[in-house]
Amino acid sequence: MPELPEVELARGYLEAAVLCQPIEEVLVEDERILSRITPAEIEQHLAKKSFRSVQRHGKRLFLELDGRLWLTIHLGMTGRLIYLQKGEDEPAHTRLLLRFQNGFCLAFDDLRIFGEAGLTASPSSFLAEAKTGPDALQVDREGFAEIMRGRRGAIKSLLLNQRLVSGIGNLYADEALFQAGIHPQSRGLNELQLGRLHSTIQEVLRTSISVQADFSRLPDSYLLRHRHPGGLCPRDGTLLKHEKLGGRTSYYCPEHQRPFGHKHLSDYRPAH
């Protein structure tokens, strides 16, 4: 599933490709991709308009239209946005196609149709209505600690809760916890642990963006390079463990990621 780094890359891609191009035609090829809007309504509000800017919050994209409306897109598990030049074939699972006056197109391709597209009056009103938490790259250390302080759930589950902090998914939650030396089932983290986790979240997300979310280009000290059955911890060579937590598979090192503030945690320093 695309997480914050992948969606941030999509934002930059759209910003470079589709701004200030009048939309000639809107083709809803599968209305299951639409959220709280009909094909006729989205066609009416997008046709003859242009995108003026692109914003991202967490895993969601907002494209500003002429006329004070925003197209909102969530890529779901398998969604992709593809800018097609003249003559290029549509992707096999195109659900929404925007055809620009210059003959180029923007396709929303989504195999499993867990993504969605809709309209909103503003990003802020949409996020408030959805009760979405602050963006993981924008929340500061104090804000992050305030959100997490006193929560009863396992820290991995808290990180995946988009109403607390938005943008972190299963893979990057595992990576941030690995770099911070925190077991995914740890609860009641202290201020030092929360501060360390905030720093590693920021570092992990920014590092992934810098390498275009290509895991093969991440530092070898990153869990994502080794996150598979039989993988070894890049810090100490221990066999990685994996288990289900809240329905999601978590990978961690049993040696230096121990729950409930084991003594190893205070001595841990993220690998670089």
Side-chain angles (χ1 to χ4, degrees):
M1 176 185 293
E3 300 184 28
L4 187 153
E6 290 82 6
V7 180
E8 174 61 20
L9 293 170
R11 184 205 63 77
Y13 174 74
L14 292 175
E15 190 172 68
V18 305
L19 297 188
C20 304
Q21 299 180 40
I23 300 168
E24 181 65 30
E25 188 177 17
V26 180
L27 301 173
V28 179
E29 302 191 4
D30 190 328
E31 62 183 85
R32 289 177 295 174
I33 203 70
L34 300 182
S35 175
R36 301 169 63 180
I37 192 169
T38 67
E41 289 172 328
I42 199 166
E43 290 166 8
Q44 172 190 350
H45 288 293
L46 266 64
K48 312 306 178 184
K49 301 293 196 307
S50 300
F51 295 122
R52 300 174 58 185
S53 67
V54 189
Q55 296 182 18
R56 179 198 56 75
H57 186 99
K59 303 177 187 179
R60 188 170 292 273
L61 292 164
F62 296 93
L63 290 87
E64 183 184 15
L65 288 156
D66 299 328
R68 299 182 180 180
L69 283 178
W70 298 71
L71 175 67
T72 176
I73 290 176
H74 194 290
L75 297 176
M77 292 185 67
T78 58
R80 302 182 301 156
L81 295 166
I82 305 170
Y83 188 61
L84 304 171
Q85 299 187 21
K86 293 179 183 180
E88 283 192 271
D89 293 334
E90 292 180 28
H93 305 288
T94 298
R95 310 300 178 182
L96 176 66
L97 186 74
L98 307 183
R99 194 181 306 280
F100 299 103
Q101 286 184 4
N102 62 6
F104 289 35
C105 298
L106 179 65
F108 187 177
D109 179 77
D110 190 358
L111 172 63
R112 300 184 64 183
I113 321 180
F114 288 119
E116 62 179 42
L119 292 173
T120 185
S122 72
S124 59
S125 62
F126 181 95
L127 296 168
E129 182 178 355
K131 299 181 180 179
T132 304
D135 184 82
L137 272 182
Q138 299 300 319
V139 64
D140 61 18
R141 179 171 176 159
E142 285 284 330
F144 179 79
E146 183 175 350
I147 290 167
M148 296 295 171
R149 190 180 295 123
R151 300 276 177 181
R152 294 183 179 180
I155 188 60
K156 172 74 179 285
S157 297
L158 297 179
L159 291 179
L160 297 182
N161 186 341
Q162 302 301 297
R163 291 191 172 192
L164 298 180
V165 177
S166 181
I168 304 170
N170 195 43
L171 297 181
Y172 292 105
D174 277 359
E175 186 65 67
L177 291 168
F178 175 82
Q179 294 296 329
I182 297 172
H183 191 285
Q185 294 202 58
S186 292
R187 301 165 187 264
L189 302 186
N190 62 34
E191 295 300 307
L192 176 62
Q193 293 161 349
L194 287 173
R196 181 180 300 156
L197 180 56
H198 175 265
S199 296
T200 59
I201 288 170
Q202 299 274 310
E203 178 184 355
V204 163
L205 296 176
R206 295 185 190 282
T207 298
S208 183
I209 292 169
S210 73
V211 299
Q212 302 293 299
D214 180 350
F215 291 174
S216 69
R217 295 172 57 197
L218 289 171
D220 190 61
S221 59
Y222 269 48
L223 176 72
L224 291 172
R225 297 284 302 272
H226 310 272
R227 190 184 181 277
H228 55 79
L232 301 180
C233 173
R235 173 175 164 82
D236 53 34
T238 301
L239 180 67
L240 295 173
K241 294 191 70 172
H242 61 279
E243 59 187 56
K244 290 286 187 180
L245 177 60
R248 309 297 296 277
T249 299
S250 295
Y251 278 79
Y252 63 93
C253 175
E255 178 58 29
H256 75 265
Q257 286 177 268
R258 302 195 183 189
F260 312 118
H262 188 274
K263 64 180 181 179
H264 285 203
L265 182 60
S266 63
D267 296 328
Y268 178 72
R269 294 295 181 271
H272 293 284

